[in-house]
Amino acid sequence: YYDYFTYETYRGASKGKTVTVPAALDKVPLFIRGGSIIPTRERPRRSSILMKNDPFTLRVALNTRGAARGELYLDDGETFSHRDGKFIWREFSASKENKGLRIRSSDLAAQKPAVAVDGVALSTYNGANDFAKDIASVRVERIVVFGLGAKPKSVQVGGKELQWEYNSGVSSDTKKQGTSSVLVIKDPGVGVSSDWEIVIQV
């Protein structure tokens, strides 16, 4: 588990383990389980409707195998047009490859149209539906990777080098505890509703 705010790591055990976490009176501890990818919108707004065009941050918490997975579902939040396939349902995944890491976004609704809408099986699904077109400009503005084993040599999308920062720390594939390593990929230029791959070479 990774502390959401401090990046401190806490190791579990197959038989269970009790971990005591210090918590100030004004703070509730929050953790991300290794193997999870959490999409968040981090700009304060007065309502969710005003967040419609806000960018996303992806928090990638690697497990002991150097992998992670998460999902994002979005629709207009106002109508029942999702029953007609006007929504997006994305899968984000991170997998260890050779000496690096590959982070992907793929269309989960196209893969599983029978379960994409609660109670309604879609006979067909178009990834370029009206809602997806409406939010085509919504981007991933930042990707934060916890537990990477070493400082990257390069971080690329489509062969283009990206801007990034790396702080060394505990790797996900060790039994050590302490502050996790943190890789921050800045504005990778990828859309939240499109397919893409980011390749990290270490």
Side-chain angles (χ1 to χ4, degrees):
Y1 291 86
Y2 300 87
D3 187 294
Y4 187 91
F5 303 105
T6 67
Y7 315 134
E8 192 76 10
T9 59
Y10 296 93
R11 305 285 178 180
S14 58
K15 295 181 179 180
K17 181 180 178 182
T18 300
V19 177
T20 301
V21 179
L25 291 175
D26 61 345
K27 177 185 173 184
V28 176
L30 177 63
F31 302 97
I32 304 175
R33 185 175 184 172
S36 305
I37 298 179
I38 310 293
T40 59
R41 279 177 160 152
E42 303 193 354
R43 298 185 183 181
R45 300 292 185 192
R46 293 182 180 178
S47 72
S48 59
I49 293 174
L50 296 176
M51 300 172 73
K52 178 180 177 181
N53 295 308
D54 283 356
F56 280 84
T57 291
L58 298 182
R59 295 183 182 273
V60 181
L62 299 177
N63 62 18
T64 54
R65 296 181 303 279
R69 183 188 175 280
E71 297 179 14
L72 173 66
Y73 174 88
L74 292 172
D75 60 32
D76 66 14
E78 297 176 341
T79 70
F80 292 99
S81 60
H82 63 284
R83 294 180 177 175
D84 300 319
K86 296 177 181 177
F87 62 89
I88 66 166
W89 183 23
R90 306 296 302 181
E91 177 182 45
F92 302 114
S93 62
S95 57
K96 196 173 183 179
E97 295 187 3
N98 298 324
K99 294 184 178 180
L101 186 74
R102 189 177 299 265
I103 303 173
R104 296 183 178 91
S105 172
S106 58
D107 192 343
L108 201 53
Q111 299 171 34
K112 301 180 178 183
V115 295
V117 181
D118 186 28
V120 179
L122 297 173
S123 56
T124 60
Y125 172 77
N126 181 3
N129 60 73
D130 289 345
F131 177 73
K133 290 178 182 177
D134 194 32
I135 65 163
S137 63
V138 176
R139 73 189 200 286
V140 176
E141 70 173 347
R142 191 168 59 136
I143 299 175
V144 183
V145 182
F146 306 118
L148 194 64
K151 182 177 180 178
K153 295 177 181 174
S154 72
V155 179
Q156 297 186 348
V157 60
K160 176 186 173 184
E161 185 69 20
L162 300 173
Q163 288 188 337
W164 51 272
E165 288 182 358
Y166 178 80
N167 291 318
S168 60
V170 173
S171 173
S172 66
D173 59 0
T174 69
K175 294 184 178 180
K176 295 180 181 178
Q177 295 200 163
T179 303
S180 168
S181 66
V182 181
L183 170 67
V184 179
I185 303 170
K186 302 177 180 181
D187 201 4
V190 294
V192 76
S193 60
S194 57
D195 291 352
W196 46 262
E197 289 188 349
I198 293 176
V199 178
I200 301 168
Q201 296 287 345
V202 295

